[in-house]
Amino acid sequence: MEGAHVNQAHWQHRLDELAAKHGVPGAQLGILRGDDLLTLATGVLHAGTGQPAATDSVWQIGSISKVWTATVIMQLIDEDRFTLETPVAEVLPEFRLRDPETTAAVTVWHLLTHTSGIDGDLFTDTGRGDDALEKYVALLADSAHNHPIGATWSYCNAGYSVLGRIIEVATGQTWDQAIREKLFTPLGLTHTTTLPEDAMVFGHAMGHVKGGDEPVVAPVWGLPRAVGPAGLITATVADVLAFARMHLRGGVAADGTRVLSEESTAAMSAYQTECPEKRLLGDSWGLGWFRCDWHGHRAYGHDGNTIGQAAFLRVLPEAGVAVALLTNGGHTHDLYADLYDEIFAELTGVRLPEPFEPPAEPAAADLTPYAGTYERESVRMEVFDDDGKPTLRTTLTGPLAGLEDDPVQTYEMTPVEPGLYAVRPEGMETWVPVTFYSLPTGEEYVHYGARATPKKLG
């Protein structure tokens, strides 16, 4: 990197300073520009032990794993095993949803683009055996459908576990073995794993459910094995950026090995489907990647959140720059927002979009059309007027509820424009959008936290 010694000291200083400001116990930052890679670390891996974070420590990259799973699916499409249009039930005859017509209609494309309507937040633990994904897919026969297939977009973890099972059936291996052979090995990754016992050989980050001056270590290290293809990869920023570099280079690894066809690589970051809510992550979705508009410049990326760990990856292809940030608690999104805006502005001249926030003068808004109860499998959301204040109350109802100190959260909603409100979780600087909308067929939904939740009638 040009003047790397200058940059390194500068970005180390900013990482140290901003991590402290946002109460982040530990973080690892990687900046890739062309072939130059800068990696930095700050803080501790575990507040209880005080083990310092290092550039070779590994972190849970969470849902960034989905782009890796999607890449293996696209490799299998390159090998003519199936196509994007192939119905899932053709590859997995045991695949069942509550409705037989929907079961028959869901394709590989619907799973990759989060448009299947399968309720995505099924985190049931199906054990640690090699049959964890097979058992998990069997559970979907009882799970609710969130929206009509293809009718809207709703972030779906479960769909990626199904894609992991498709990989297993197509390769005759576990997802863990297949992704190692098809991705980790050809990319030359030395610190990327999927199973806890493989991560344990490295210094590894522990999640914190609370950061700041009195950090609180998470109650468990990781999520169940069945969530693997949706979020269980553990890696360093250097390995995450080797993966990003392969995508920047049209599917070719650093040593020249072709990992993915140029056509499939391009399709993954190309427009596939619209997001009803364009401010939280991206304005549209590709095959795995989400797509962002940064003042007319097209970027892509993915975020990840596990139990007290958060990860961020953004790629600006026109500049050949990718940035990865891995963190273990505190106000991680605030840290991401500050750091990435500075890094991309300085290295590429491109600013990130202005942060989403309500107008200085409160907008006039009538809550009446949106008031009511919205519910999906794992959460109930109530929208009501509390003494003149529009209010959102969310109640976790699934297995995740047991991991939270308080499964009920109440937020005051600040009106932005008709159908759009802003909420700010306590202690955070970042505002989060709450979007109300209707499907073309008339059903009413709220979009919050990248999930579409239908309104209950009556």
Side-chain angles (χ1 to χ4, degrees):
M1 188 167 283
E2 288 168 14
H5 60 285
V6 179
N7 277 349
Q8 180 151 358
H10 170 70
W11 294 121
Q12 182 70 57
H13 173 66
R14 293 305 287 146
L15 177 63
D16 294 345
E17 204 166 49
L18 290 169
K21 176 187 172 185
H22 296 303
V24 174
Q28 200 180 68
L29 173 68
I31 302 171
L32 176 77
R33 180 167 63 177
D35 289 327
D36 295 316
L37 174 67
L38 178 67
T39 60
L40 306 164
T42 192
V44 297
L45 295 177
H46 187 309
T49 66
Q51 185 183 359
T55 51
D56 62 354
S57 316
V58 298
W59 309 68
Q60 293 175 25
I61 72 168
S63 291
I64 297 173
S65 306
K66 290 183 176 69
V67 192
W68 302 57
T69 294
T71 301
V72 176
I73 288 286
M74 298 307 287
Q75 289 174 324
L76 293 167
I77 288 173
D78 285 345
E79 295 167 20
D80 294 327
R81 304 292 188 95
F82 45 81
T83 70
L84 288 171
E85 287 73 42
T86 301
V88 172
E90 261 184 41
V91 191
L92 304 180
E94 74 276 18
F95 176 68
R96 293 273 182 289
L97 301 170
R98 278 185 194 169
D99 171 40
E101 280 183 27
T102 309
T103 303
V106 173
T107 65
V108 172
W109 183 87
H110 289 122
L111 298 182
L112 286 169
T113 56
H114 302 275
T115 54
S116 71
I118 295 170
D119 193 277
D121 294 325
L122 181 68
F123 290 102
T124 310
D125 190 346
T126 56
R128 297 185 182 222
D130 286 352
D131 59 356
L133 281 174
E134 187 179 2
K135 286 179 169 173
Y136 180 92
V137 170
L139 297 175
L140 295 178
D142 299 324
S143 115
H145 220 69
N146 205 15
H147 62 75
I149 186 166
T152 187
W153 178 93
S154 187
Y155 192 77
C156 182
N157 284 294
Y160 271 78
S161 288
V162 177
L163 288 167
R165 180 62 188 149
I166 288 173
I167 291 168
E168 292 188 333
V169 169
T171 62
Q173 297 176 303
T174 62
W175 169 78
D176 307 87
Q177 292 166 324
I179 200 162
R180 188 168 65 234
E181 278 187 26
K182 295 183 82 63
L183 265 191
F184 305 171
T185 302
L187 287 173
L189 308 183
T190 57
H191 284 64
T192 301
T193 62
T194 58
L195 295 166
E197 56 271 28
D198 294 332
M200 283 169 68
V201 302
F202 308 109
H204 52 277
M206 182 73 196
H208 298 78
V209 290
K210 181 170 172 276
D213 296 336
E214 295 176 8
V216 178
V217 177
V220 294
W221 185 72
L223 290 161
R225 186 173 177 185
V227 189
L232 289 197
I233 291 174
T234 301
T236 57
V237 285
D239 279 7
V240 171
L241 290 172
F243 171 78
R245 184 187 183 280
M246 179 269 288
H247 277 271
L248 271 169
R249 294 297 164 88
V252 177
D255 66 358
T257 305
R258 172 144 309 274
V259 177
L260 188 63
S261 72
E262 202 159 341
E263 187 186 9
S264 289
T265 310
M268 285 185 68
S269 60
Y271 175 91
Q272 299 288 338
T273 193
E274 205 68 29
C275 294
E277 185 286 297
K278 304 185 185 313
R279 296 165 178 88
L280 188 66
L281 296 170
D283 57 19
S284 53
W285 221 265
L287 302 169
W289 295 111
F290 61 63
R291 299 158 36 81
C292 319
D293 179 350
W294 290 352
H295 299 288
H297 301 264
R298 181 55 66 184
Y300 59 84
H302 213 289
D303 289 351
N305 285 281
T306 60
I307 302 161
Q309 299 197 44
F312 305 86
L313 173 61
R314 295 291 182 278
V315 181
L316 186 61
E318 68 185 52
V321 170
V323 181
L325 173 69
L326 308 178
T327 64
N328 63 357
H331 295 309
T332 55
H333 194 271
D334 293 338
L335 174 62
Y336 148 77
D338 280 358
L339 263 179
Y340 277 48
D341 190 47
E342 285 187 25
I343 292 167
F344 279 97
E346 183 155 324
L347 297 187
T348 72
V350 176
R351 300 300 300 244
L352 270 61
E354 284 70 32
F356 169 69
E357 56 189 13
E361 288 297 311
D366 178 11
L367 189 67
T368 319
Y370 315 119
T373 301
Y374 299 76
E375 195 155 15
R376 54 189 165 85
E377 199 89 331
S378 49
V379 70
R380 183 169 63 255
M381 302 167 76
E382 295 154 288
V383 174
F384 56 96
D385 186 300
D386 182 13
D387 200 19
K389 293 178 178 171
T391 303
L392 167 68
R393 182 164 58 218
T394 65
T395 307
L396 293 177
T397 54
L400 281 186
L403 291 173
E404 294 287 339
D405 288 345
D406 186 0
V408 182
Q409 299 285 338
T410 306
Y411 308 102
E412 182 182 340
M413 300 196 304
T414 306
V416 178
E417 59 190 52
L420 176 64
Y421 291 79
V423 298
R424 183 149 64 169
E426 195 181 342
M428 272 184 64
E429 292 180 15
T430 314
W431 289 86
V432 180
V434 181
T435 307
F436 297 93
Y437 69 112
S438 299
L439 301 187
T441 40
E443 297 94 332
E444 292 177 55
Y445 276 74
V446 62
H447 222 279
Y448 174 67
R451 273 53 166 194
T453 305
K455 193 173 194 176
K456 289 180 74 174
L457 301 172

